[in-house]
């Protein structure tokens, strides 16, 4: 996999470049991984509902063709776009999502943070009271408050075209988290969003991008 650390780039231009790469690739096109950072933007997935944008506050809202609901991208967030041929890799979409989440969990672990999956809610979550605790999430969740005690540190939204992936996963490093209050993140009212800084890990975007890229490469290589 060719890893491209693009740094701060324009969201709309990057989205169009992903589409073009995927449309034009052939059976022998090498897979790529783009690591990006964006200026403030809200992005709506195909399942997105307008009422989940509570107050955009002047931040652009861009409709996209990825799965999922609304999320926020901004400075201090590593956005990873794997451009992978799943047929050549020999896996299906469910396994692909599992591997993306595994790469996030492994990256967090390298900083002493334990990431958790929540059934039916793609992305990675952490315990707010003890982010480094290794105990698995247990017990039935409260239907009225399924994310009690949890914060979301990574969001996931993908698109598959002719067995090839684009869009991907966003990992929060050191952000202004206020814009997340302007939406129901990923369609969940009241869901708290956190970053590594919130969890007591103070590091650089480039460091997280490198580690995350290495772990995605390991998960998505034959």
């Amino acid at each position: 996999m060719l890893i491209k650390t693009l740094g701060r780039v324009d969201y709309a231009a990057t989205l169009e470049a992903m589409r073009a790469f995927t449309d034009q690739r052939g059976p022998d096109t090498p897979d790529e991984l783009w690591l990006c950072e964006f200026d403030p933007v809200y992005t709506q997935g195909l399942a997105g509902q307008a009422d989940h944008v509570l107050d955009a506050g002047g931040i652009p809202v861009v409709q996209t063709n990825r799965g999922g609901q609304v999320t926020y991208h901004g400075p201090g967030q590593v956005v990873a776009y794997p451009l992978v041929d799943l047929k050549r890799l020999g896996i299906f979409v469910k396994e692909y999502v599992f591997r993306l989440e595994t790469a996030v969990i492994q990256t967090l672990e390298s900083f002493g943070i334990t990431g958790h999956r929540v059934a039916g809610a793609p992305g990675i979550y952490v315990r707010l009271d003890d982010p480094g605790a290794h105990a698995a999430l247990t017990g039935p969740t409260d239907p009225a408050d399924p994310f009690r005690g949890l914060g979301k540190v990574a969001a996931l939204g993908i698109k598959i075209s002719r067995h090839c992936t684009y869009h991907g996963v966003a990992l929060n490093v050191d952000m202004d988290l206020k814009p997340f209050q302007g939406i129901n993140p990923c369609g969940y009212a009241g869901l708290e969003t956190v970053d590594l800084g919130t969890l007591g890990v103070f590091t650089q975007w480039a460091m997280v991008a490198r580690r995350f890229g290495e772990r995605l490469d390991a998960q998505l290589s034959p």
Side-chain angles (χ1 to χ4, degrees), residues 34-109:
W34 298 358
L35 299 169
C36 314
E37 183 182 25
F38 298 119
D39 289 325
V41 61
Y42 292 121
T43 70
Q44 276 278 26
L46 292 173
Q49 301 176 26
D51 58 359
H52 286 311
V53 180
L54 308 176
D55 181 7
I59 296 174
V61 181
V62 178
Q63 184 66 47
T64 78
N65 62 345
R66 63 165 172 79
Q69 300 264 358
V70 65
T71 194
Y72 168 72
H73 295 312
Q77 180 187 65
V78 176
V79 183
Y81 290 144
L83 308 174
V84 176
D85 185 334
L86 295 183
K87 186 174 183 180
R88 189 169 61 201
L89 188 56
I91 63 174
F92 295 100
V93 175
K94 186 175 181 180
E95 174 68 17
Y96 173 64
V97 170
F98 183 86
R99 293 190 187 192
L100 292 184
E101 292 178 336
T102 298
V104 175
I105 291 170
Q106 291 174 339
T107 303
L108 293 174
E109 184 179 20

Side-chain angles (χ1 to χ4, degrees), residues 18-37:
M18 283 194 296
R19 288 173 172 164
F21 178 92
T22 304
D23 288 344
Q24 296 166 12
R25 68 179 300 168
D28 299 321
T29 303
D31 292 336
E32 296 189 3
L33 171 63
W34 298 358
L35 299 169
C36 314
E37 183 182 25

Side-chain angles (χ1 to χ4, degrees), residues 108 113-116 124-128 131 149-151 153 194 199:
L108 293 174
I113 301 297
T114 301
H116 300 273
I124 295 299
Y125 303 80
V126 296
R127 294 180 186 273
L128 297 177
L150 301 178
V153 71
V194 297
L199 304 172

